[in-house]
Amino acid sequence: MDTILKVLQQPSEAMYRGLSQRAQNELSPQEVRELRELFSIFDIGGTGRLSFPVLRKSLRTMGFNADDRELMGAIADCGIDIREGVTFAQFVDIVLIEQGDSFDVYEELMSGFTAMDIDRSGKITVESLKKLSEKLDEDLSLAELEDMVKEADTSGNGEISHREFIAVMLRTNLFRGTTANLKHSE
């Protein structure tokens, strides 16, 4: 059993396969997983490529504010033909160029999820949103809370998983500043 756990905890060569040497040197296995999850959220059609408008939106929702000219410069620096779309490996290289030294969007979103997961069940429910809204002195009706859950709940089980939460927050740009407010309420 210990051997299996050690193998599972070691970074897999497959995880880094196709990534640039810079990405392999600078990103932890967790960061690669987080970027892969973010990429898959934006790769709505499952093509394995992001168009320029989707790439721009994904970077902006991650907190990068490069204008089109700067973004095209980063794309050129990576030797990417944008007409073919951006692959995951290319996406990672662009993120590395744009980020400088900080990659914390995923952590910020997970912090927000944790703050909203009042009962620590790993899910956000109407009940947990009700408790949170009461704690924050927000007057939200049951119907409003149910609508919030319905919007994010893509699985239809009446609960919001961390993946559904991240997807809706990135899709709607709701996370900017939200998690800081939630942290102060704890």
Side-chain angles (χ1 to χ4, degrees):
M1 184 68 155
D2 289 336
T3 304
I4 293 171
L5 288 175
K6 285 180 186 176
V7 169
L8 290 174
Q9 292 171 344
Q10 293 175 353
S12 165
E13 286 182 29
M15 178 180 300
Y16 290 104
R17 188 172 299 127
L19 296 182
S20 68
Q21 193 61 48
R22 178 180 178 195
Q24 293 178 36
N25 292 336
E26 293 185 23
L27 296 175
S28 70
Q30 181 63 31
E31 289 171 321
V32 173
R33 281 189 292 274
E34 292 168 0
L35 283 171
R36 193 172 302 279
E37 185 167 351
L38 290 170
F39 181 87
S40 70
I41 288 169
F42 290 106
D43 182 19
I44 295 169
T47 63
R49 294 184 178 271
L50 302 180
S51 66
F52 182 79
V54 173
L55 172 66
R56 180 180 53 225
K57 181 179 180 183
S58 69
L59 292 173
R60 286 189 177 149
T61 60
M62 291 172 66
F64 302 122
N65 294 315
D67 62 26
D68 285 357
R69 194 176 72 190
E70 292 170 332
L71 184 52
M72 288 305 286
I75 290 168
D77 288 347
C78 294
I80 299 168
D81 181 353
I82 192 62
R83 295 172 297 189
E84 296 176 11
V86 175
T87 66
F88 172 69
Q90 294 166 331
F91 173 75
V92 169
D93 287 340
I94 292 168
V95 168
L96 286 172
I97 288 170
E98 293 296 317
Q99 80 171 358
D101 295 326
S102 64
F103 174 69
D104 63 357
V105 170
Y106 185 87
E107 290 173 18
E108 182 180 350
L109 291 171
M110 283 306 297
S111 176
F113 178 83
T114 300
M116 296 177 91
D117 179 16
I118 300 283
D119 61 0
R120 303 295 182 242
S121 65
K123 303 172 212 92
I124 298 172
T125 62
V126 170
E127 292 78 28
S128 61
L129 287 177
K130 182 169 177 46
K131 288 177 189 175
L132 182 62
S133 68
E134 289 169 356
K135 189 175 184 179
L136 295 173
D137 289 327
E138 293 289 331
D139 189 26
L140 298 172
S141 71
L142 184 59
E144 289 172 310
L145 297 172
E146 289 171 345
D147 286 344
M148 287 180 194
V149 170
K150 284 179 189 171
E151 180 177 347
D153 178 25
T154 57
S155 66
N157 65 358
E159 303 169 331
I160 303 170
S161 69
H162 80 279
R163 183 172 174 84
E164 291 168 328
F165 177 80
I166 289 170
V168 76
M169 295 300 272
L170 290 174
R171 187 174 65 242
T172 60
N173 256 349
L174 288 173
F175 73 94
R176 296 190 194 285
T178 302
T179 55
N181 294 338
L182 290 172
K183 286 178 188 173
H184 290 10
S185 74
E186 291 181 0

